[in-house]
């Protein structure tokens, strides 16, 4: 992710994912590239082939919202991906230093003390708080009992892709990694000058073939509630629901809470895990991460 032509990279990646028959065109086994041709996207969007070529090549980076919405329709983008596309074409302040993030102001990210006390008071609900880059800022002791990577200072996306213990823990590792990369795009936003996002993507692209493949797909999906399928070394297989809630008054922070269906075997296993970790220190410490 070098930020030199983010709009063109997104258009090319998403164009390759649309089959001709999806948009009413005849398919052909003779196509040299997957997906739609540039001239087909241009025709269906109501713009010239030359203009679309300029967009993909980065020679025109400020198309109108009307053009972008036409492209989103042809490329079959959902509302989140459409919003991301519109953001890619927004004007950036010319005076902003390279690698800065005007929206963050360089302030450290802090979790409200009241929220730390709240998650510490949940004896049956593993919970942690992360920022838009998946840095864990705070976690309660039961979350740490699920995996030691739920602790302040750990980047959770790096852990999932690079820690073999996480691969063994996650029975749904393939789905989780796919969702995690799409959520990173959605929550970090389309700013190509974001130095922290660029560093994270660069590091993972070098160290993980799986990440590099998923990042190239340009999927955009916010974090949603999901079922986590775990194979825990102490209590065995358990399935936990998780809810993801935006932290009010703290831009970019997300509270993740796990829970099991009351009376289920998963709830029993979670109680056993809690008793095994009863002597574990509380998780109220938080990592102060500088924005920007």
């Amino acid at each position: 992710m070098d930020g030199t032509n983010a709009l063109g990279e997104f258009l090319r990646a998403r164009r390759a994912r649309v089959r001709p028959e999806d948009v009413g065109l005849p398919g052909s086994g003779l196509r040299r590239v997957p997906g739609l041709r540039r001239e087909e996207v241009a025709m269906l969007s109501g713009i010239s082939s030359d203009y679309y070529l300029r967009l993909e090549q980065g020679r025109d980076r400020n198309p109108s919202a009307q053009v972008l919405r036409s492209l989103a329709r042809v490329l079959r983008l959902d509302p989140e991906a459409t919003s991301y596309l519109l953001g890619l074409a927004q004007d950036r302040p010319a005076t902003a230093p390279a690698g800065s993030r005007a929206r963050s102001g360089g302030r450290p990210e802090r979790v409200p003390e009241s929220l730390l006390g709240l998650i510490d008071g949940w004896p049956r609900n593993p919970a942690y708080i992360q920022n838009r880059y998946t840095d864990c800022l705070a976690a309660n002791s039961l979350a740490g009992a699920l995996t030691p990577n739920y602790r302040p200072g750990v980047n959770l996306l790096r852990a999932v892709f690079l820690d073999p213990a996480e691969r063994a823990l996650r029975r749904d590792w393939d789905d989780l990694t796919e969702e995690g990369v799409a959520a990173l795009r959605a929550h970090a936003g389309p700013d190509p000058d974001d130095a922290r996002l660029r560093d994270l993507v660069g590091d993972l692209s070098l160290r993980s073939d799986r990440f590099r493949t998923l990042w190239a797909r340009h999927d955009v999906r916010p974090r949603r509630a999901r079922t986590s399928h775990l194979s825990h070394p102490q209590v065995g297989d358990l399935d936990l629901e998780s809810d993801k809630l935006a932290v009010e008054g703290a831009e970019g922070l997300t509270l993740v809470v796990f829970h099991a269906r009351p009376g289920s075997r998963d709830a029993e296993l979670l109680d056993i895990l809690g008793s095994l970790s009863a002597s574990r220190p509380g998780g109220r410490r938080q990592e102060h991460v500088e924005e920007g």
Side-chain angles (χ1 to χ4, degrees), residues 71-123:
L71 290 170
R73 173 181 52 80
V74 173
L75 298 177
R76 302 171 66 84
L77 302 184
D78 60 19
E80 289 85 5
T82 298
S83 177
Y84 185 88
L85 174 62
L86 291 168
L88 285 173
Q90 288 179 352
D91 289 330
R92 310 288 173 189
T95 56
S100 68
R101 291 190 61 81
R103 70 179 175 184
S104 67
R107 293 172 297 180
E109 295 175 306
R110 292 186 59 88
V111 178
E113 286 292 327
S114 59
L115 186 54
L116 294 176
L118 179 66
I119 66 174
D120 275 352
W122 290 339

Side-chain angles (χ1 to χ4, degrees), residues 176-287:
L176 179 66
T177 52
E178 181 178 330
E179 294 167 14
V181 172
L184 179 66
R185 276 196 186 276
H187 290 276
D191 185 355
D193 295 325
D194 186 334
R196 289 182 61 195
L197 179 61
R198 192 167 58 244
D199 290 345
L200 177 60
V201 170
D203 179 48
L204 283 170
S205 295
L206 287 173
R207 301 171 68 185
S208 169
D209 292 340
R210 169 74 172 167
F211 177 87
R212 188 165 57 251
T213 297
L214 292 174
W215 187 254
R217 290 174 51 170
H218 288 256
D219 289 334
V220 182
R221 286 192 303 276
R223 301 180 187 99
R224 297 187 174 98
R226 70 186 307 274
T227 302
S228 294
H229 303 286
L230 307 176
S231 183
H232 196 275
Q234 290 180 291
V235 298
D237 290 354
L238 70 163
D239 301 325
L240 300 177
E241 304 296 323
S242 66
D243 292 311
K244 298 171 175 60
L245 309 170
V247 177
E248 185 176 357
E251 183 186 359
L253 299 194
T254 301
L255 167 63
V256 182
V257 185
F258 294 92
H259 54 92
R261 183 168 53 85
S264 66
R265 172 172 168 75
D266 297 312
E268 293 176 4
L269 293 176
L270 200 55
D271 285 343
I272 292 171
L273 187 61
S275 65
L276 292 174
S277 63
S279 60
R280 182 185 179 91
R284 298 192 68 222
R285 264 191 327 111
Q286 62 175 300
E287 185 82 2

